[in-house]
């Protein structure tokens, strides 16, 4: 059965100042990329064996940063969803929703008082192993808002005056983990207590973001978040993403994404469904397809 995912895009309105000496002056800096990547493998009477496969991956990323007088406001959205089909089997190869907004008020030349809210989740169900048999359709290990992460942070933001580099230092950060699915909640997945659907941790956060549009054809970005709850201070959770969009010509774009995660509350689940201890998680997505950098 075909599944359609509608990507929500972040639209930011642009204000113009009407002054005699400065006409059409803008205070927004915006950049982003969108891509649709395809792949196919086909076999006909191939003696070495093999199975036909088709893959498709859609991605959208956008940043809108506002800077005027002593006010800074940084917004970002990163969406991705992908499927592979091997014969009659359907396999999910990417699925993420990342949204963040950061508001700051200037304290010194490079430091701003700051408050940030971020949200992360995924669009659809995930399984510990693929392909998924019909009898195992209800044995998913994740889905939308299971987990979902909402993080609110207050602290100081370092903003480089010439480079697109920002570092948030927050001694007061609240990370809320949602598991809204009844079965996963009853199992105590993702750190919630069995039967509960919310787990909140108060701690400290350090977050660094950097993006660079080297020219009209190459866009690079990375975000790393280091958090530690005060109840288990010293245990550091890591969330690190990197992305590269390279427009090869008028029609084709090369896209590469990496994701590195470590969270004490996320237990590794093997292919047999057995829960292990927390482990470093790593994922990479590389593809060639139709894309646009703006």
């Amino acid at each position: 059965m075909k599944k359609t995912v509608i990507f929500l895009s972040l639209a930011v309105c642009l204000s113009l100042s009407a002054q005699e000496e400065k006409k059409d002056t803008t205070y927004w800096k915006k950049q982003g990329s969108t891509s649709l990547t395809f792949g196919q493998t086909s076999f006909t009477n191939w003696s070495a064996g093999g199975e036909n496969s088709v893959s498709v991956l859609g991605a959208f990323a956008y940043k809108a940063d506002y800077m005027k007088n002593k006010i800074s406001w940084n917004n970002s959205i990163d969406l991705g969803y992908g499927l592979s089909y091997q014969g009659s089997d359907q396999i999910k190869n990417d699925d993420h929703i990342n949204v963040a907004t950061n508001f700051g008020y200037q304290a010194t030349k490079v430091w701003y008082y700051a408050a940030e809210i971020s949200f992360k989740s995924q669009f659809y169900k995930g399984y510990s192993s693929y392909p998924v048999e019909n009898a195992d359709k209800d044995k998913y290990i994740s889905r939308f808002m299971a987990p979902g992460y909402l993080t609110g942070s207050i602290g100081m933001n370092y903003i480089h005056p010439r480079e697109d580099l920002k570092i948030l230092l927050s001694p007061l950060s609240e990370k809320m983990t949602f598991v809204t699915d009844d079965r996963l909640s009853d199992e105590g997945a993702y750190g919630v207590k069995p039967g509960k659907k919310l787990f909140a941790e108060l701690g400290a956060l350090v977050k660094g973001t950097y993006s660079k549009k080297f020219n009209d054809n190459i866009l690079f970005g990375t975000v790393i978040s280091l958090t530690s709850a005060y109840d288990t201070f010293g245990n550091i959770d890591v969330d690190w993403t990197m992305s590269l969009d390279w427009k090869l010509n008028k029609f084709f774009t090369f896209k590469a994404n990496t994701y590195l995660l470590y969270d004490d509350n996320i237990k590794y689940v093997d292919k047999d469904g057995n829960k292990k201890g927390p482990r470093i998680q790593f994922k990479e997505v590389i593809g060639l397809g139709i894309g646009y950098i703006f």
Side-chain angles (χ1 to χ4, degrees):
M1 182 179 66
K2 294 183 179 179
K3 297 177 176 67
T4 302
V5 177
I6 301 176
F7 290 104
L8 304 176
S9 62
L10 179 66
V12 182
C13 296
L14 187 65
S15 299
L16 302 178
S17 65
Q19 301 178 5
E20 292 182 0
E21 67 277 9
K22 290 184 179 181
K23 295 182 179 181
D24 298 329
T25 302
T26 61
Y27 302 94
W28 288 98
K29 180 181 179 181
K30 297 173 287 184
Q31 63 186 28
S33 64
T34 182
S35 64
L36 190 61
T37 304
F38 300 94
Q40 180 185 15
T41 303
S42 178
F43 299 91
T44 302
N45 302 323
W46 191 252
S47 60
E51 189 168 10
N52 297 344
S53 66
V54 176
S55 65
V56 60
L57 171 63
F60 176 82
Y62 188 72
K63 289 185 62 180
D65 296 340
Y66 176 86
M67 184 78 73
K68 180 182 179 182
N69 298 331
K70 293 188 175 183
I71 301 298
S72 73
W73 184 25
N74 307 310
N75 306 276
S76 66
I77 183 169
D78 182 11
L79 309 174
Y81 191 82
L83 293 172
S84 295
Y85 294 89
Q86 294 181 352
S88 60
D89 299 324
Q90 178 180 279
I91 301 171
K92 184 171 71 169
N93 55 34
D94 191 23
D95 189 2
H96 67 270
I97 304 171
N98 298 334
V99 183
T101 182
N102 181 300
F103 182 84
Y105 185 83
Q106 190 172 23
T108 68
K109 183 178 180 180
V110 296
W111 288 97
Y112 289 71
Y113 304 110
E116 179 175 287
I117 297 176
S118 64
F119 170 76
K120 293 189 175 186
S121 190
Q122 59 185 29
F123 288 103
Y124 197 67
K125 297 176 182 177
Y127 297 85
S128 59
S129 64
Y130 290 89
V132 181
E133 302 295 337
N134 288 330
D136 298 326
K137 292 289 186 181
D138 293 330
K139 296 182 180 179
Y140 50 84
I141 60 173
S142 63
R143 64 184 304 175
F144 178 70
M145 290 301 291
Y149 300 101
L150 182 65
T151 304
S153 305
I154 298 175
M156 298 293 292
N157 224 15
Y158 169 83
I159 300 179
H160 195 286
R162 292 178 299 277
E163 295 288 339
D164 195 358
L165 170 67
K166 303 176 183 67
I167 300 175
L168 172 64
L169 305 178
S170 173
L172 189 62
S173 180
E174 182 85 2
K175 178 183 177 182
M176 291 174 282
T177 303
F178 296 87
V179 180
T180 58
D181 182 82
D182 291 336
R183 180 178 63 80
L184 294 176
S185 171
D186 291 339
E187 293 176 359
Y190 299 100
V192 302
K193 293 182 179 180
K196 301 294 183 179
K197 296 186 177 181
L198 173 63
F199 173 58
E201 297 176 285
L202 181 65
L205 174 145
V206 177
K207 179 179 179 180
T209 64
Y210 177 78
S211 63
K212 182 73 171 181
K213 187 175 182 182
F214 293 96
N215 51 49
D216 291 339
N217 299 323
I218 300 177
L219 178 62
F220 171 80
T222 183
V223 180
I224 182 170
S225 296
L226 307 175
T227 59
S228 184
Y230 286 128
D231 288 343
T232 57
F233 196 75
N235 292 341
I236 300 176
D237 295 339
V238 181
D239 187 327
W240 186 10
T241 65
M242 288 193 294
S243 64
L244 173 66
D245 290 89
W246 185 357
K247 187 176 180 181
L248 302 177
N249 54 41
K250 183 178 180 180
F251 301 102
F252 296 105
T253 297
F254 171 81
K255 186 175 184 64
N257 290 79
T258 63
Y259 308 83
L260 188 149
L261 298 173
Y262 179 83
D263 191 325
D264 271 347
N265 298 314
I266 300 179
K267 309 304 180 184
Y268 170 72
V269 180
D270 63 22
K271 293 184 178 181
D272 296 323
N274 300 314
K275 290 186 178 180
K276 308 293 184 178
R279 298 186 181 183
I280 294 176
Q281 307 170 58
F282 183 78
K283 179 177 69 173
E284 67 175 6
V285 180
I286 299 175
L288 179 67
I290 302 171
Y292 181 64
I293 298 175
F294 53 90

